[in-house]
Amino acid sequence: MDFQGYFPIWDKLAPGHQEMLLDNLTERNIKKGAVIHNGDMDCTGLLLVRSGQLRAYILSAEGREITVYRLFDRDLCLFSASCMMRSAQFDITIQAEKDTRLWVIPAEVYRQVMEQSAPAANYTNEVMAARFSEVMWLMEQVMWKSLDKRVAAFLLAEAAIEGTLLLRLTHESIANHLGTHREVVTRMLRYFQSEGMVRLSRGAVEIMDEKKLAALGNT
Amino acid sequence: MDFQGYFPIWDKLAPGHQEMLLDNLTERNIKKGAVIHNGDMDCTGLLLVRSGQLRAYILSAEGREITVYRLFDRDLCLFSASCMMRSAQFDITIQAEKDTRLWVIPAEVYRQVMEQSAPAANYTNEVMAARFSEVMWLMEQVMWKSLDKRVAAFLLAEAAIEGTLLLRLTHESIANHLGTHREVVTRMLRYFQSEGMVRLSRGAVEIMDEKKLAALGNT
């Protein structure tokens, strides 16, 4: 399937706008681990994921990270093109979590289409509202939830994404998703292990008692 | 000045859309302290502030609060009408911080205008991007900044909003803005007082050394 099949509101666009998008697209393959966009870069453009997985995160001055949202097949990343919105004043970093195939739409081209096309602008609204909801969810998590519950919920979410209970994750990477320190995660995972919820090995965390972990993560 | 003068993109709307908005507006006076919208309410509608001040906050299960953003004259509140966006999945509470005069636009009317009008949809995009930026700013604050710096920055922001160094604020209300407990704020303010940065009295905090407070808040 081509771009037409992946871009959700393709059929609602005027032929002229469809042409503008097609004429200016580029397709790219991004290696797992590569940073596609960060605050220092010029406007990278909108990213439409064909296959793979991206994560968007923010960085502290000291280099700590927290994952804000993730993007999967058919998801559109707006904030790698935040230059097209005057009011979007924040820096976000986008990194490939898996080998990813995606299309890049130049920000200026998308802005022009959006300016003229109510369907494109409304679709963009919906995408932004979805990201907004994810950020609000995260805000509630970091404000009101203790870290043990957040680690538990994160492990379960990973298991759902990967379709396996054996998670190839370092303590460092878990800390970077949750905005905390590796040492804190290590202590927490050891406690989980002592309670029989996980088994730890080099570079992996295996979920042993999904139910108990879920009971913790969902409170 | 009337609604036409307050709604930023009035001149870009088609006459039919202008009429739809005008025919369905209501003007309301909200008393300081009143809650205009919360998650349990049906879609309250979009709010356009004529004069006054609103705050949008989230609530924990235990009743803790944190201010997410504030709205002043000419600001438009979208998330009191989040029913009009499928993807907006979060609860926010809107409260008047001062006596406020505002217009309410029914969500369904605005949605119809937005669906047909590229300028209205693009304007809505800009408003959402601005709120998104505020939420991301807040996320960075709560993740990476210690509470002494956040209290200092909050007091200075209040002084700028009110145009005075004598702030009528209880410790409880500061805690509710920052998502923490009253006791923690009291302890912090006493420390600020011992350092000569503020003077505390019943129901008020007076800033005595703006420079020192700014040096703390901006680090």
Side-chain angles (χ1 to χ4, degrees):
Chain A
M1 202 170 13
D2 267 341
F3 180 78
Q4 293 90 318
Y6 277 81
F7 193 70
I9 50 149
W10 184 257
D11 294 338
K12 292 189 187 164
L13 293 178
H17 294 146
Q18 292 180 340
E19 206 177 315
M20 269 177 78
L21 292 178
L22 286 184
D23 286 352
N24 291 284
L25 280 180
T26 49
E27 197 168 347
R28 283 177 64 188
N29 289 301
I30 316 284
K31 282 273 164 222
K32 178 179 169 171
V35 167
I36 311 164
H37 175 79
N38 68 42
D40 294 334
M41 290 180 187
D42 257 4
C43 221
T44 306
L46 286 93
L47 311 173
L48 180 64
V49 179
R50 181 167 192 153
S51 63
Q53 185 173 319
L54 306 177
R55 82 173 176 117
Y57 61 95
I58 52 175
L59 266 171
S60 76
E62 294 81 34
R64 279 169 71 197
E65 305 178 356
I66 182 168
T67 300
V68 180
Y69 54 82
R70 285 162 140 181
L71 299 166
F72 303 94
D73 298 8
R74 292 175 186 275
D75 279 340
L76 184 70
C77 183
L78 294 178
F79 295 120
S80 49
S82 57
C83 61
M84 75 178 182
M85 285 172 286
R86 267 195 325 276
S87 313
Q89 302 285 348
F90 55 89
D91 287 341
I92 211 158
T93 305
I94 315 282
Q95 183 184 37
E97 284 193 298
K98 297 184 178 165
D99 288 347
T100 298
R101 217 169 143 190
L102 50 77
W103 287 282
V104 182
I105 311 169
E108 182 50 28
V109 171
Y110 193 85
R111 195 193 58 74
Q112 278 182 47
V113 171
M114 191 168 74
E115 204 168 276
Q116 296 162 16
S117 161
N122 278 288
Y123 170 63
T124 309
N125 261 325
E126 283 291 338
V127 173
M128 209 184 321
R131 300 295 166 264
F132 203 103
S133 302
E134 289 176 290
V135 175
M136 292 297 284
W137 178 87
L138 179 60
M139 180 71 75
E140 295 185 355
Q141 299 286 310
V142 302
M143 287 305 301
W144 324 128
K145 265 201 162 181
S146 56
L147 196 70
D148 57 340
K149 296 176 172 51
R150 292 181 57 216
V151 172
F154 175 76
L155 294 176
L156 292 168
E158 282 295 307
I161 290 171
E162 302 297 337
T164 169
L165 295 177
L166 180 62
L167 305 170
R168 299 271 160 218
L169 282 169
T170 64
H171 301 188
E172 177 88 36
S173 78
I174 298 173
N176 285 343
H177 278 292
L178 299 177
T180 185
H181 296 285
R182 186 188 54 73
E183 296 76 9
V184 179
V185 169
T186 298
R187 200 157 53 229
M188 195 69 77
L189 289 174
R190 283 190 187 142
Y191 162 71
F192 284 5
Q193 181 166 253
S194 73
E195 293 286 309
M197 292 187 276
V198 303
R199 184 158 57 195
L200 305 177
S201 56
R202 195 172 173 80
V205 179
E206 187 174 6
I207 296 176
M208 304 304 287
D209 190 338
E210 218 177 338
K211 229 168 139 181
K212 199 167 168 185
L213 208 57
L216 176 62
N218 294 328
T219 51
Chain B
M1 202 168 15
D2 268 341
F3 180 79
Q4 292 91 319
Y6 277 81
F7 193 71
I9 50 148
W10 184 257
D11 295 337
K12 292 189 186 164
L13 294 178
H17 294 146
Q18 292 180 340
E19 207 176 316
M20 269 177 78
L21 292 178
L22 286 184
D23 287 352
N24 291 285
L25 280 180
T26 49
E27 199 169 345
R28 283 177 62 188
N29 290 302
I30 315 285
K31 282 274 164 220
K32 177 178 170 171
V35 168
I36 311 165
H37 175 78
N38 69 41
D40 294 333
M41 290 181 190
D42 258 6
C43 222
T44 305
L46 286 93
L47 310 174
L48 180 65
V49 179
R50 181 167 191 154
S51 63
Q53 187 173 318
L54 306 177
R55 82 173 176 117
Y57 61 96
I58 53 175
L59 267 170
S60 75
E62 295 81 32
R64 279 169 71 197
E65 305 178 357
I66 182 168
T67 300
V68 179
Y69 55 81
R70 286 162 140 181
L71 300 166
F72 303 95
D73 298 7
R74 292 175 185 276
D75 279 340
L76 185 70
C77 183
L78 295 178
F79 295 120
S80 49
S82 57
C83 61
M84 74 177 184
M85 286 171 287
R86 267 194 324 276
S87 313
Q89 301 285 348
F90 55 90
D91 287 340
I92 211 157
T93 305
I94 315 281
Q95 183 184 37
E97 283 194 297
K98 298 184 178 165
D99 288 346
T100 298
R101 216 168 144 191
L102 50 77
W103 287 282
V104 182
I105 311 169
E108 182 49 30
V109 170
Y110 193 85
R111 196 192 57 74
Q112 277 183 46
V113 171
M114 193 167 75
E115 204 168 277
Q116 298 163 14
S117 161
N122 278 287
Y123 171 63
T124 309
N125 259 325
E126 283 292 337
V127 172
M128 209 184 322
R131 300 295 165 263
F132 204 102
S133 302
E134 291 176 288
V135 175
M136 292 298 284
W137 179 87
L138 179 61
M139 180 71 76
E140 295 186 354
Q141 298 287 309
V142 301
M143 286 305 300
W144 325 126
K145 264 199 161 181
S146 56
L147 196 70
D148 57 340
K149 296 177 173 51
R150 292 180 57 216
V151 172
F154 174 76
L155 293 176
L156 291 167
E158 281 296 307
I161 291 171
E162 301 297 337
T164 169
L165 295 177
L166 180 61
L167 305 170
R168 301 272 159 216
L169 283 168
T170 64
H171 301 186
E172 176 88 38
S173 78
I174 298 173
N176 285 344
H177 278 293
L178 299 177
T180 185
H181 294 286
R182 187 188 54 74
E183 297 75 9
V184 179
V185 169
T186 297
R187 200 157 53 229
M188 195 68 79
L189 289 174
R190 283 192 186 141
Y191 163 71
F192 285 5
Q193 181 167 253
S194 73
E195 292 285 310
M197 291 188 275
V198 302
R199 184 158 58 197
L200 305 178
S201 56
R202 194 172 175 79
V205 179
E206 187 173 7
I207 297 176
M208 304 304 288
D209 190 338
E210 216 176 338
K211 228 167 140 183
K212 199 167 169 186
L213 208 57
L216 176 61
N218 294 328
T219 52

